[in-house]
Amino acid sequence: YAGSKFQKKWMAKWLTDPKPIRPMAFNSLTEENKGDHPKLDKKEAKKMTAFLMGLTSDAVKAGRVKPKKSAKGRLIFTKKMPCSGCHQYTGRKNKISGGRSGPSLVEAGVRLNPDWILAYLKKPKVFKPVKMMPVFTGLLSDKDMMNVARYVANFKPKKKK
């Protein structure tokens, strides 16, 4: 489902210079991610990107989520659930905050398809049946999940002054 999850421009760039998305090694709370994903040259990356973008999921409904600074989404993300316990993100004063056990969400708005974020919040088991990601259905309303998806989709590089 990479074509539903990732943004094409990011994928093509990442494949030529992959950096770890997950701070810790997969399924570990103590071992750092070695970041040993193979690098592809631009031509190989273009072909691989085309292939990966063709892998999609019917669970992701296109055009539903528009990135937005959402105070409600931020409150849920940092306090109510709190997603920031497992996921890194760029907080106040451009400081990286949050946990390291889940994938980093720093600049997630450049990497992830906003509609995939919402689909994942609603049905994480569809995408990762054995992961530790909580299921929010029944805990958060659809509107709250939309606010969180909009908030996370808004995580983009800070503009330099």
Side-chain angles (χ1 to χ4, degrees), residues 4-156:
S4 294
K5 180 177 182 178
F6 296 112
Q7 293 191 35
K8 184 177 182 178
K9 185 177 176 181
W10 175 88
M11 176 66 73
K13 184 178 177 187
W14 187 85
L15 287 169
T16 63
D17 187 22
K19 303 275 190 267
I21 295 167
R22 183 178 284 284
M24 305 307 288
F26 186 73
N27 257 354
S28 177
L29 296 176
T30 57
E31 183 184 337
E32 293 282 326
N33 185 340
K34 293 178 182 137
D36 53 0
H37 193 282
K39 289 184 180 184
L40 303 179
D41 66 33
K42 283 188 178 189
K43 187 176 179 182
E44 290 172 315
K46 186 176 180 180
K47 286 183 193 175
M48 184 58 70
T49 298
F51 171 75
L52 291 171
M53 297 312 290
L55 304 175
T56 60
S57 169
D58 293 342
V60 179
K61 306 296 181 223
R64 296 189 63 203
V65 180
K66 304 289 182 241
K68 175 181 164 182
K69 287 184 180 179
S70 168
K72 179 88 173 182
R74 181 176 56 79
L75 181 67
I76 295 165
F77 184 90
T78 58
K79 304 280 187 214
K80 185 175 181 179
M81 288 326 290
C83 310
S84 58
C86 296
H87 299 281
Q88 290 182 329
Y89 67 106
T90 304
R92 296 188 179 179
K93 297 184 181 179
N94 246 359
K95 183 179 175 226
I96 304 294
S97 301
R100 296 172 40 88
S101 60
S104 173
L105 294 177
V106 171
E107 299 183 5
V110 173
R111 182 176 81 240
L112 300 174
N113 170 359
D115 296 311
W116 181 86
I117 298 168
L118 179 62
Y120 189 79
L121 287 172
K122 287 186 167 198
K123 297 180 180 179
K125 302 284 185 201
V126 167
F127 301 100
K128 309 249 177 155
V130 294
K131 294 308 297 159
M132 299 304 293
M133 179 77 172
V135 175
F136 295 111
T137 303
L139 297 175
L140 291 176
S141 68
D142 284 348
K143 186 175 181 181
D144 283 347
M145 284 188 265
M146 177 64 82
N147 282 323
V148 172
R150 286 180 174 150
Y151 177 67
V152 172
N154 194 54
F155 290 176
K156 298 196 174 158

